[in-house]
Structure formats: structure tokens, C-alpha cells
Amino acid sequence: MDYLPFTRPFIDEETIQGVAEVLRSGWLATGPNVGAFEARLSGYLDGRIVKTFTSATGALEVALEICGIGPGDEVITPAMSFTATPNVIMRVGAKPVFVDVDLETRNIDLDSLEKAITKNTRAIMPVHFAGLAVDCDALYDIAKRHGLRVIEDAAHAIGTEWSGKRIGSFGDIVSFSFHPNKNMTTIEGGALSLSDRNEAAKLDQLRFHGIVKDDEGNQDVLLAGGKYNLSDVAARVGLGQLAHLDSFNEKRRSLAEHYLECWKLKDCVLPRNGEGHSWHMFAPLIPFDRYGVSRQHFIRRMHEKGIGIGIHYPALHLFSLYRSLGYRRGDFPNAERIGLETVTLPLFPMMEKNDIERVVNSISETIGS
Ligand SMILES: *Cc1c(COP(=O)(O)O)cnc(C)c1O
């Protein structure tokens, strides 16, 4: 039987041909395809300003710079995410203030979030975990009452909707990732969606050496910008992917619902379904202790059966870097439990329902024996 990885990108033939044309054109770095890709993304997000980057990690770091966040500032973020989320807060010299997440939605707990606000808090960096939107009405209500910026880490959430509106089509600054594991890819890449023209102009400078040009083409450098511009090759991949995004996400949704329907193992915490979910991942919590099986053993046995399993993610505050800020075991019980019990099961648009049944049956065999 074919090996079933936990995720796998799909690039269609038209895109492969398109990439070959870009390679033959002689224009490989930022050019017409980046312009077209940003315009198409902007159309997808109800006309918001969209700026692409070489990664979401770079995009998030620049977003913090745009907000003027640095030493002495605190940014509130969930204790369970990919480590890029708090790392960028550290990179600009600010302090990540962790808050626990909900066991079922895996999203930041908004009551605890509000309690974590201090006089040094400048921004909130929530994550729409696995493609399920955070309650954006409650989130933006808190931000507004406390005068905080919001930088949404929507790396999992391109195509996700909140109250019928796409994530990134509203809100403050919203960051997407186009890494190959995400719901659409540019190989490596990311984008910010925002609405403030002055901030967008500053983003242009921060992502390309701080260079500005006047009407006659004379250059000036206004700030020590970085180098985060997407290539035209990557943008051409993105154009081909965006055309399929809604059907990819529709397929993900029906596959995830099939997992929920045919799940067998008892005492697991299954991920919450919800309106507008784009199902970037399907990650149940399995009580390995109760079953007397280690997660490593489970992953090895599933691999032997031709099924790839991921782990997304260990609790952030238990990494050495974050322990050095004073965080310790016991601080965020849900994040810690997720860190120990989570497994990411295969879910990608080219799968079929019988693949889901194969995974569910293999889990019962592995843990039952
Ligand atoms: C993938 C990911 C990122 C980083 O994206 P890159 O494009 O790889 O830099 C940030 N946050 C979360 C939650 C992610 O899953």
C-alpha cells in the first residue's frame, strides 16, 4: 500500500508549465508574477492591501516592527503554537506573554488573555489553530478596549472564515504562510494583509533594503530594511495554488468530517469542528498513558503500517528559551496536555475517504494490541 504522509502538497500541470515559462523568461526575482499574485490575494481578501514575503516568520517579524514593538513591550500569545510565533516577539526584543489554550479548539483562551494584559502590553498575537478561527468579535473587542494592536498568525488559516468573512479580509494585521505543509504553497513564502496605506509603504521599505524612489527614479534609503521579497517563480506557484484553494479546503473539510464520523478509539479529545474551518490539520489528543503505549512507539508502529504522523506542537513555555524567561511546567495545563497527547493524522486534498478509514483502523490496531 502507498505510504500516506501526514501532509502532501499538490501542484497541477498548468502550474508546472507556468513555472517553466517563468524560468525561461529570464525574470526570476520579484516581477510581474509577484504583482499578479498580490493582486489576486487582495481580491480573495475583499480588496485589502496584501504584501508578500519570503516566509511568514519574516512577515510576522516585520509586522511587529511596523507596530513599533520592541524592548520593554509585552505581546500576548498562546502557549501552544509553532515556535515561530513567540520567536519573532523575542527577535524584536519584546517579551512573549503566554496564555493557555482551549483543549478542543486549541485556540487562545480569551478570558485568560484579558487577565494577562498589563501596562506594558502592546499587542496580541493569536493563532487560528489548525484553521479554526479565534472568536474575532471577542478578540477585537478586547483589543479595542485596551488600545492594543492585533497581529493574527493565520499561518493555518488561509480560506478560514469567521462569521462568513475570510480571515485576512478584516482586522488589523494578518499573516499567512505558504510553506509546503500549509493549505496552499509558494514553496516558501508568506503574506501580510492590512488596511493602512502608510504602514503598507513602510512594509515595502522593511522588506527591501529601506529603498524608496522618487518620480525620476532617484533612490534614497530611509531605514535599514531587510530582504524578504518573494521570487517570481514562487509567486507563479502561488497563482496556480490560489486557483484551487477553495476546492482544496472543501475537500479537507469533508475528509476531516469523515474522521469525526468514523473515529473509534475511546477517551480521545477530538478537535472541534466549526463554521468556516479550513482544516489545515486533524489532530486528536490520545491519552497514551491510559492506553499504556508511548507516543514514540505509536508513531513508529503507524510508520511501519505506511502512515505518517506529525506532532503539532509541544508546549512553547517548556522549551529552554522560554523557561529562561521563568516559565515552568504547570503554568499552562491545556498546552502541556496537548503537547504530550497530540498527534497529527494524514489530511491533504488528494486523499480519499478510504484513506481516512485506513488511518482510523490502523490506530485501533496499534493501540489495542
Ligand atoms: C508555519 C507557521 C509559521 C511560519 O511560517 P513560515 O512561512 O514557515 O515562516 C508561523 N506560525 C505558525 C502557527 C505556523 O504553523
Side-chain angles (χ1 to χ4, degrees):
M1 231 182 292
D2 286 345
Y3 192 82
L4 194 59
F6 74 80
T7 191
R8 187 182 157 87
F10 171 74
I11 311 283
D12 66 10
E13 283 306 314
E14 189 274 335
T15 304
I16 294 171
Q17 286 305 315
V19 166
E21 278 165 35
V22 176
L23 291 173
R24 288 190 199 101
S25 76
W27 195 319
L28 307 185
T30 307
N33 282 287
V34 170
F37 182 44
E38 289 185 344
R40 205 73 66 80
L41 280 168
S42 171
Y44 189 75
L45 301 174
D46 289 352
R48 291 256 294 188
I49 303 171
V50 174
K51 300 287 176 186
T52 52
F53 288 80
T54 39
S55 71
T57 306
L60 286 167
E61 186 176 334
V62 170
L64 287 163
E65 278 184 78
I66 285 286
C67 297
I69 291 166
D73 297 334
E74 294 176 356
V75 178
I76 299 179
T77 197
M80 199 280 302
S81 176
F82 183 49
T83 195
T85 318
N87 282 4
V88 294
I89 299 169
M90 296 287 278
R91 286 183 63 77
V92 299
K95 180 184 175 201
V97 172
F98 292 123
V99 163
D100 211 354
V101 297
D102 180 84
L103 267 191
E104 286 178 15
T105 67
R106 316 286 158 85
N107 281 332
I108 192 164
D109 183 89
L110 293 174
D111 292 331
S112 313
L113 185 161
E114 189 153 20
K115 293 192 189 106
I117 295 171
T118 72
K119 63 181 190 334
N120 296 323
T121 308
R122 297 283 311 281
I124 306 168
M125 198 183 269
V127 177
H128 303 291
F129 197 83
L132 179 66
V134 171
D135 178 338
C136 290
D137 296 337
L139 172 75
Y140 278 97
D141 178 58
I142 294 170
K144 199 169 165 198
R145 279 191 279 110
H146 295 271
L148 302 175
R149 297 296 304 255
V150 178
I151 299 167
E152 297 175 38
D153 182 345
H156 301 175
I158 184 112
T160 293
E161 292 180 0
W162 168 255
S163 272
K165 286 184 298 184
R166 287 189 180 128
I167 292 297
S169 69
F170 64 96
D172 193 352
I173 302 183
V174 183
S175 170
F176 295 105
S177 170
F178 306 130
H179 179 277
N181 284 1
K182 305 294 156 73
N183 287 24
M184 63 170 270
T185 187
T186 60
I187 306 174
E188 295 283 2
L192 294 179
S193 162
L194 69 165
S195 56
D196 185 299
R197 304 225 154 261
N198 294 325
E199 289 188 340
K202 201 164 170 207
L203 279 181
D204 283 332
Q205 296 159 27
L206 283 167
R207 77 172 167 178
F208 197 74
H209 312 289
I211 293 172
V212 292
K213 288 180 186 164
D214 69 14
D215 291 343
E216 266 117 60
N218 300 304
Q219 287 192 14
D220 194 10
V221 172
L222 300 182
L223 48 83
K227 176 70 164 68
Y228 298 108
N229 58 302
L230 200 65
S231 77
D232 248 33
V233 180
R236 182 61 187 81
V237 177
L239 282 165
Q241 291 275 290
L242 186 54
H244 293 293
L245 179 62
D246 286 344
S247 66
F248 283 170
N249 285 351
E250 194 52 52
K251 185 71 182 289
R252 286 175 175 279
R253 203 167 298 132
S254 74
L255 292 168
E257 282 167 3
H258 199 52
Y259 267 124
L260 292 170
E261 279 158 19
C262 65
W263 190 261
K264 289 184 184 159
L265 199 68
K266 291 204 172 62
D267 300 327
C268 298
V269 180
L270 297 181
R272 169 103 48 92
N273 197 358
E275 217 186 313
H277 201 322
S278 64
W279 288 103
H280 167 56
M281 294 190 277
F282 187 85
L285 307 185
I286 298 180
F288 291 102
D289 273 356
R290 209 173 308 167
Y291 280 103
V293 177
S294 78
R295 183 166 58 183
Q296 283 317 321
H297 174 79
F298 168 74
I299 292 174
R300 221 175 308 120
R301 290 291 301 276
M302 291 294 281
H303 177 73
E304 284 160 13
K305 290 175 185 286
I307 297 171
I309 303 287
I311 296 178
H312 303 94
Y313 301 92
L316 291 164
H317 64 291
L318 300 181
F319 286 136
S320 300
L321 174 65
Y322 297 104
R323 281 180 189 268
S324 77
L325 299 182
Y327 291 110
R328 47 188 44 86
R329 192 173 297 282
D331 286 349
F332 306 109
N334 289 348
E336 290 170 24
R337 176 163 169 205
I338 293 164
L340 293 174
E341 298 189 351
T342 190
V343 287
T344 303
L345 308 183
L347 179 64
F348 52 91
M350 300 312 287
M351 281 172 66
E352 294 305 335
K353 288 194 170 169
N354 57 356
D355 295 315
I356 303 286
E357 289 152 23
R358 181 182 154 201
V359 175
V360 168
N361 291 332
S362 298
I363 291 172
S364 298
E365 287 163 27
T366 302
I367 296 201
S369 60

